[in-house]
Amino acid sequence: MCSKLELKVPPPLVMLLLMGTVFLFDRLLPFQIFYIPTLTVTLSIMFVVLGAVISLSGVREFKRAQTTVNPLKPENSSSLVDSGIYQYTRNLMYLGFLLILISSVIYTQNPLGLVSALLFVTYMNRYQIEPEERALVKIFGDEFKLYAEQVNRWF
């Protein structure tokens, strides 16, 4: 099943658009369970830093393997990256983006923002990860299938 959205929107843009919805939810439907400014800011910064470190470590592993980091062109992959942290998650960069998105939910303390995080995971699975995996099966065959059986998509 193909879709016009498959592999069309860069994942960082998807994250930023959905981050905008977190702040929109907060503006239109303000609702906070609790708000401790120092803790909220500290936790949200920690999630941004953690997400950035995770995403950049994924980029570093791809560069080390001398393969493409362009998520819109998985067919250009020249090697299957399954070392380092990729032994634990297949979508390290997207996991990092999710943590950065969650940082905005922490910052606003509006639980409605979790809808945006759920939309991110749903969108990424359907329009980015599934098409990537189909391309990787074509390129790497059983090697990718075995890797996918052993390592979870997200965590």
Side-chain angles (χ1 to χ4, degrees), residues 84 89 100-101:
T89 175
I100 293 169
L101 177 58

Side-chain angles (χ1 to χ4, degrees), residues 11-48:
L13 180 58
V14 174
M15 178 201 64
L16 290 172
L17 290 171
L18 287 169
M19 188 178 282
T21 67
V22 170
F23 289 102
L24 185 63
F25 284 147
D26 191 50
R27 185 91 147 133
L28 298 176
L29 302 164
F31 176 80
Q32 296 174 331
I33 298 172
F34 64 90
Y35 187 73
I36 305 169
T38 306
L39 180 61
T40 299
V41 171
T42 302
L43 275 175
S44 61
I45 289 171
M46 287 172 57
F47 268 70
V48 168

Side-chain angles (χ1 to χ4, degrees), residues 80-95:
L80 180 62
V81 181
D82 59 1
S83 60
I85 199 160
Y86 281 100
Q87 296 173 69
Y88 308 104
T89 175
R90 296 196 316 255
N91 294 289
L92 188 65
M93 290 176 246
Y94 306 150
L95 177 58

